[in-house]
């Protein structure tokens, strides 16, 4: 059995270089950019009116004018207009190009307009209400560095520079595998000794949040069948996420079958609770990484977030989310097991407090919907105190 920190480090030592691919922009949300995005023109690309009103030349103010005959109209989408007489004005709409010979915009609220003449109601400053060309960013500036996760804001920026196709990091091909003779499909009525499979579905859903469309497969507790199936699965996928069959039971065949198939065991059993019988290995020739999680639902779910998500972040070369919270209870964690305790997070005046959630062990699947995640408590001699800052692994927003 190895220490949690060592297990975590070993998982991160076995990342994959997944390469890159081109996708349509509308497929890009949540993906990781594999190229730097530059401004293809100035932002904004022209001097644009920031308000609806009139555009004038400030020299007219020096001449003591406060009334301007309206000589034309400029609206967004029109090519640049020209102010012919600098003692006149052009009505202008927000987003329109400021006309040639004009350098100042005055909003309607500060004007009185009668009979085609606009009269100032307020003092005017030269250059006001103009969003100047290139004042946000100049052409060639970096808008999005490589390795940026594409969210809604990034999506808008990509659209604004005409990236209808983008280069992104490839995602791993993942196979989620449930094991066990007791499991039946969601739409089946289980007999008294059976249960519906839930682990694969929560893993499948969690992977969808990462934009990974996994394949799910079920294996009965038959050693020969497991072996036959896994030979093919190991060749087809980058990552296998198995759940169940890794502890000490008579039907827990997974570790030996994996080793038979030349998946090198990196470790089996971690000093942690829940999730202790976790088996992790790699098939070097096939470049397949195998996360074989203990079957208890809380263990599978916890280990997916504790190990697989950081592994994915590291493989995609993006930062691993790090969060800390304040413990709302005193907790004793005796050696040797690191405790992952389910907590509900409460925001009290800007501080995130972690309140332990009642749960009935790692088979208690229903507890997962009452918590926001797990605090990580390494074992030590003295109890954790109320108000102590501890690492937090978020599973629910
Ligand atoms: N003698 C020992 N027994 C156990 C140990 C141990 O160290 N020595 N470890 C315990 C711990 S801790 C855990 S966790 C479990 C893990 O066992 P397995 O990985 O072998 O998982 P199974 O026995 O196949 O299943 C455990 C439990 O989870 C349910 N399960 C499995 N898959 C699913 C699924 N896809 N959806 C929903 N539920 C699932 C299964 O029905 C079992 O109830 O072992 C302890 N025992
Ligand atoms: O690791 Mo098991 O998950 O403690 O029940």
């Amino acid at each position: 059995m190895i220490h949690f920190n060592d297990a975590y480090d070993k998982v991160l030592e076995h990342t994959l270089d997944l390469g890159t691919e081109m996708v349509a922009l509308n497929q890009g949300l949540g993906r990781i950019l594999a190229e730097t995005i530059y401004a293809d023109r100035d932002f904004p690309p022209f001097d644009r009116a920031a308000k609806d009103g009139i555009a004038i030349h400030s020299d007219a103010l020096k001449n003591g004018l406060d009334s301007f005959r309206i000589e034309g109209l400029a609206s967004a989408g029109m090519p640049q207009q020209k102010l012919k007489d600098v003692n006149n004005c052009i009505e202008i709409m927000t987003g329109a190009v400021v006309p040639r010979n004009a350098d100042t915009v005055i909003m309607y609220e500060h004007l009185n307009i009668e009979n085609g003449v606009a009269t100032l109601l307020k003092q005017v400053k030269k250059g006001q209400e103009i969003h100047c060309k290139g004042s946000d960013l100049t052409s060639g500036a970096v808008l999005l560095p490589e390795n940026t996760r594409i969210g809604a804001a990034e999506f808008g920026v990509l659209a604004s520079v005409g990236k209808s196709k983008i280069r992104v990091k490839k995602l791993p091909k993942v196979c989620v595998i449930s094991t066990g003779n007791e499991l039946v499909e969601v739409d089946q009525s289980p007999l008294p000794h059976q249960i519906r499979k839930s682990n694969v579905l929560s893993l499948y859903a969690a992977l969808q949040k990462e934009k990974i469309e996994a394949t799910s497969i079920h294996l009965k507790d038959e050693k020969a069948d497991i072996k036959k199936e896994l030979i093919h699965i190991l060749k087809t996928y980058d990552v296998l996420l198995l759940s169940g069959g890794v502890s000490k039971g008579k039907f827990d065949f997974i570790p030996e079958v994996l080793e038979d198939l030349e998946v090198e065991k990196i470790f089996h059993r971690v000093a942690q609770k829940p999730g202790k019988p976790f088996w992790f290995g790699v098939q070097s020739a096939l470049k397949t990484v195998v996360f074989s999680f203990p079957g208890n639902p809380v263990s599978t779910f916890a280990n997916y977030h504790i190990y697989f998500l950081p592994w994915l972040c590291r493989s995609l070369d993006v930062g691993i989310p790090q969060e800390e919270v304040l413990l709302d209870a005193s907790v004793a964690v005796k050696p040797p097991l690191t405790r992952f305790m389910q907590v509900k997070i409460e925001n009290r005046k800007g501080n995130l407090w972690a309140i332990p959630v009642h749960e009935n062990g790692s088979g208690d699947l229903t507890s997962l919907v009452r918590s926001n995640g797990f605090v990580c408590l390494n074992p030590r001699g003295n109890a954790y105190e109320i108000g102590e800052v501890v690492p937090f692994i978020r599973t629910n927003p």
Side-chain angles (χ1 to χ4, degrees), residues 10-51:
K10 282 188 187 299
V11 167
L12 293 189
E13 278 166 24
H14 291 88
T15 53
L16 291 177
D17 179 359
L18 300 159
T20 67
E21 64 183 342
M22 293 297 288
V23 296
L25 176 60
N26 61 13
Q27 298 296 310
L29 196 65
R31 301 291 297 271
I32 308 297
L33 263 181
E35 58 175 324
T36 302
I37 303 296
Y38 299 95
D40 62 335
R41 60 208 295 228
D42 288 341
F43 274 65
F46 48 80
D47 287 345
R48 62 181 278 275
K51 294 280 160 55

Side-chain angles (χ1 to χ4, degrees), residues 46-343:
F46 48 80
D47 287 345
R48 62 181 278 275
K51 294 280 160 55
D52 300 315
I54 61 167
I56 61 163
H57 195 295
S58 56
D59 279 355
L61 301 168
K62 283 195 213 142
N63 301 339
L65 278 189
D66 70 351
S67 283
F68 305 88
R69 197 178 65 75
I70 298 171
E71 103 182 3
L73 176 79
S75 66
M78 284 172 78
Q80 189 179 31
Q81 305 294 297
K82 182 181 172 192
L83 182 63
K84 292 185 196 89
D85 182 338
V86 291
N87 291 327
N88 287 343
C89 70
I90 285 182
E91 266 191 285
I92 194 160
M93 304 301 126
T94 305
V97 186
V98 174
R100 269 170 63 202
N101 291 340
D103 62 5
T104 302
V105 168
I106 303 140
M107 66 202 273
Y108 282 131
E109 292 87 327
H110 298 163
L111 297 168
N112 180 34
I113 298 184
E114 244 174 280
N115 301 325
V117 175
T119 304
L120 304 183
L121 299 176
K122 235 185 136 186
Q123 220 187 345
V124 173
K125 219 171 107 201
K126 178 182 174 182
Q128 71 177 33
E129 308 297 13
I130 294 179
H131 185 190
C132 291
K133 178 177 189 296
S135 63
D136 299 348
L137 284 172
T138 49
S139 175
V142 172
L143 296 180
L144 299 169
E146 199 181 329
N147 295 342
T148 299
R149 191 179 290 275
I150 302 167
E154 289 76 13
F155 206 84
V157 168
L158 288 163
S160 75
V161 295
K163 295 292 285 185
S164 57
K165 284 190 175 157
I166 44 174
R167 183 161 290 282
V168 293
K169 300 278 175 74
K170 261 193 197 158
L171 293 167
K173 278 179 81 183
V174 179
C175 187
V176 175
I177 305 159
S178 54
T179 63
N181 293 343
E182 73 281 25
L183 302 176
V184 298
E185 294 299 329
V186 186
D187 53 5
Q188 280 181 273
S189 296
L191 296 170
H193 57 280
Q194 295 176 322
I195 56 164
R196 291 194 185 92
K197 50 170 99 146
S198 59
N199 289 357
V200 274
L201 288 151
S202 54
L203 288 181
Y204 185 84
L207 288 161
Q208 274 192 326
K209 287 207 283 184
E210 308 307 317
K211 304 287 161 189
I212 296 175
E213 286 295 328
T215 302
S216 40
I217 288 175
H218 180 71
L219 301 177
K220 288 270 183 201
D221 289 329
E222 309 289 339
K223 194 172 163 192
D225 290 355
I226 293 177
K227 193 166 175 177
K228 205 170 112 207
E229 291 278 348
L230 282 181
I231 290 174
H232 168 70
I233 295 169
L234 279 165
K235 283 187 194 147
T236 314
Y237 296 91
D238 300 311
V239 177
L240 273 49
L241 299 182
L242 290 113
S243 115
V246 289
S247 60
K248 302 251 185 219
K250 288 249 179 326
F251 302 94
D252 293 338
F253 302 125
I254 298 295
E256 65 180 277
V257 172
L258 286 170
E259 285 174 57
D260 279 358
L261 297 174
E262 289 171 8
V263 184
E264 181 198 348
K265 179 182 82 179
I266 306 296
F267 59 78
H268 185 194
R269 288 187 199 91
V270 185
Q272 68 175 78
K273 188 180 161 64
K276 185 170 74 173
F278 175 33
W279 191 101
F280 177 74
V282 286
Q283 217 301 355
S284 304
L286 299 170
K287 293 204 175 106
T288 310
V289 180
V290 180
F291 295 78
S292 202
F293 298 135
N296 275 328
V298 179
S299 312
T300 294
F301 195 72
N303 278 349
Y304 169 88
H305 290 88
I306 296 165
Y307 297 101
F308 173 75
L309 281 185
W311 176 92
L312 181 66
C313 288
R314 191 57 70 80
S315 294
L316 296 173
D317 210 6
V318 294
I320 298 169
Q322 308 282 350
E323 266 194 278
E324 286 181 328
V325 292
L326 301 166
L327 256 191
D328 192 46
S330 164
V331 189
V333 184
K334 296 264 161 60
L337 305 186
T338 295
R339 171 105 179 262
F340 290 95
M341 187 174 73
Q342 287 198 67
V343 292

